[in-house]
Amino acid sequence: MRHDARRALALCVGLFVAASTTAGQLSRADIARRISPPLVVGEKPADTPAWPISSELTPDAGPVGWVFESIDLAPIPGFEGTPYNLLIQIDTTGQLLDVELLRQHEPVFLSGLGEAPLRDFLAQYAGLNLSQSITVSTAYSDRSNTRQSQSDRVVLDGVTKATASVRIANQTVLTAALAVARAQLGFAGPAQHTPPAEVREDRFEVRSFAQLLADGSIARLRLTHADVEALFAGTDGAGLDSSDASPDALVTELYVAYLNAPTLGRAILGDAGYTHLRGFLEPGQHAWWVATAGPDSLIDTHFVRGTSPERLSLQQHGTPFELRDFDTAPAPPPGAPALNAALVLRTSPLSGLDPAAEQTFELSFTRQRGQILPQRIHRSATLAYTPPADYFRLPPAPLPEWLIAWRERVVELSTIGLALLMLSIALTRPRWLSRSARRLRIFRLGFLAFTLIYIGWIAQGQLSIVQITGAIKTLAAGHALTSFLYDPVSLLIMAFTLLSFFIWGRGSFCGWLCPFGALQEFAAELGARLGLRARRLPPRVALALDRGRYGILLALVLSAALAPAMAERLVEVEPFKTAITVGFDRAWPFVLYALGLLALGAVYYKFFCRYLCPLGAAMVIGGKLRVLDWLPRRAECGQPCQTCRHRCAYDAIDRNGSIRYNDCFQCLDCVGIYHDEARCAPLLLYRRKGRRVGTIKSS
């Protein structure tokens, strides 16, 4: 029972956390306070979590725009694991009117850079249209392309040191806004993953009606009485055909042709008619010639020009598109059969329909049963139409936002990749490098300088406990860890670190790839140059602090799962954001804390890394995956030789000479001593006595 109660409590807490991070926070009254008369806020429709905005001046005209919270439509986990919540306004043409920040939990904008850069970033969306391709520039991409004036592509200014965070914000804005646009404005449905095809204006040849019909440029649907009867089979409308015609007699022939293509448009409308049509079509708007022949007509005497024909509808990828009459009566094209009706129909300008993809036209039929309170039965026949591909130019599919981030940072990724290869060689074959203490010192300090300056301050590749707590929050909310893809440098280092766990343990990251760890090492170097005597904590104190790291890690993990707001404060135990991410450009309490830790590190070697770092505690746990004891030891190590133990600044060597890999930062000092006849006491002694060196033992 107690176990079941604990499970129930955990489930309730999890649901509360998930609900608190994915529910909108504004009421209708809150929205009303944000708009001015004559605009008024309506009730949310049942199918879309968005408020319609209408005008008191035109109450019957329908909404003039929509306002919605992004978290109701696009709860995309941020870098820290919690989604943004943005208030987004769009009008009926798909134009973004405003994007307001309601809530965010990105570490870099929480007392780091502050929210001002994020608000400046969001202000760039005003005036953009959802029909445009909107991407984000970074400090790593071509700044000359920023905020391009091209009508179909816009590149927004990014925020330095917040590359991943602003890309996630961009995905949030576009995903939420497009969801409302698809539901309420008739934009293309979610099945469309590539930009619509573009009509080739240079593609024209004179073709007859019969030729266009033969190659599929004009689609035809022929329906007989038997075909229509089959539509009503099994319904109350079956058998209600009052005609005496034979089953094979024609009911109607439906013709459809895509008019934007010059070959088709000129053949159907003539040169003057085609020029007239194109003069009225707006960018992104499509038009079709639709006609019927035979006894049954597409329209009747009640049809009003400029409206939508009741019997005809269009869908693509399951999304309906409104067809509206162009208010013109086209003459029958040469070679066409005798027609009883012909219309030029067009979509809205921002429909998002792809003219090169299959379009499904539906022609409806209605039968009536009974005289008093008659029952009407409706059925539709479908015509699938795909214009020939050579009428179009197919634009390349847009790259996903995360892949753009990877392409823009190819220089950083390549540079760091080469550095990781060099480090792997040094750790795998360390003998030549480490035998000379001077050579090892030059290499180590040079690599740590690269880690601090390039990986940390320039490429922003500092791994953090926030990535662990953020992953926990994201998974607890039922989302995938896709936010990691937006930070390719960190992901590369993360992947290398995970792989290194199996080979070297935790030390490859903590000893070589942590920018703040490198900064601490330089603090120790500065302390030595200033004449500060290096000190060591009493063993009991050191042990208590070492174990305390795991308590900090546990507290962070539990708070991330159960109390996310508390986790945001607790992660400040790490000084990484202060010292590395924003380069000490932060409020003075945070800067003072980071400098205090560095001052302690100048006296107590790598104090934060060894005694406080929760990420280091997680690295120790990951390091237990190590399959090899790769640091060589001799039988004489520890019995009686204590050289390596006394010189190990990390206190990672026991009295018996064995290596404690949980505490080892892989500085290679002991490897150099092991191979150096001038520093290794057993080698020096046996060489003098002419005896063999003792056997190697496992550590």
CSV table of all heavy atoms in Angstrom, one decimal, residues 102 196 416 596:
chain,number,residue,atom,x,y,z
A,102,LEU,N,5.7,36.2,-22.6
A,102,LEU,CA,5.0,36.0,-21.4
A,102,LEU,C,5.8,35.3,-20.3
A,102,LEU,O,5.8,35.7,-19.2
A,102,LEU,CB,3.7,35.2,-21.6
A,102,LEU,CG,2.6,35.9,-22.6
A,102,LEU,CD1,1.5,34.9,-22.8
A,102,LEU,CD2,2.2,37.2,-22.0
A,196,PRO,N,5.9,25.2,-51.8
A,196,PRO,CA,5.1,24.9,-53.0
A,196,PRO,C,5.9,25.1,-54.2
A,196,PRO,O,6.9,25.9,-54.3
A,196,PRO,CB,4.0,26.0,-52.9
A,196,PRO,CG,3.9,26.4,-51.5
A,196,PRO,CD,5.3,26.2,-51.0
A,416,ILE,N,36.9,22.1,-33.4
A,416,ILE,CA,36.8,21.3,-32.2
A,416,ILE,C,37.0,19.8,-32.5
A,416,ILE,O,37.6,19.1,-31.7
A,416,ILE,CB,35.5,21.6,-31.5
A,416,ILE,CG1,35.5,23.1,-31.1
A,416,ILE,CG2,35.3,20.7,-30.3
A,416,ILE,CD1,34.1,23.5,-30.5
A,596,GLY,N,35.1,34.2,-6.2
A,596,GLY,CA,35.4,33.5,-4.9
A,596,GLY,C,35.9,32.1,-5.1
A,596,GLY,O,36.8,31.6,-4.5
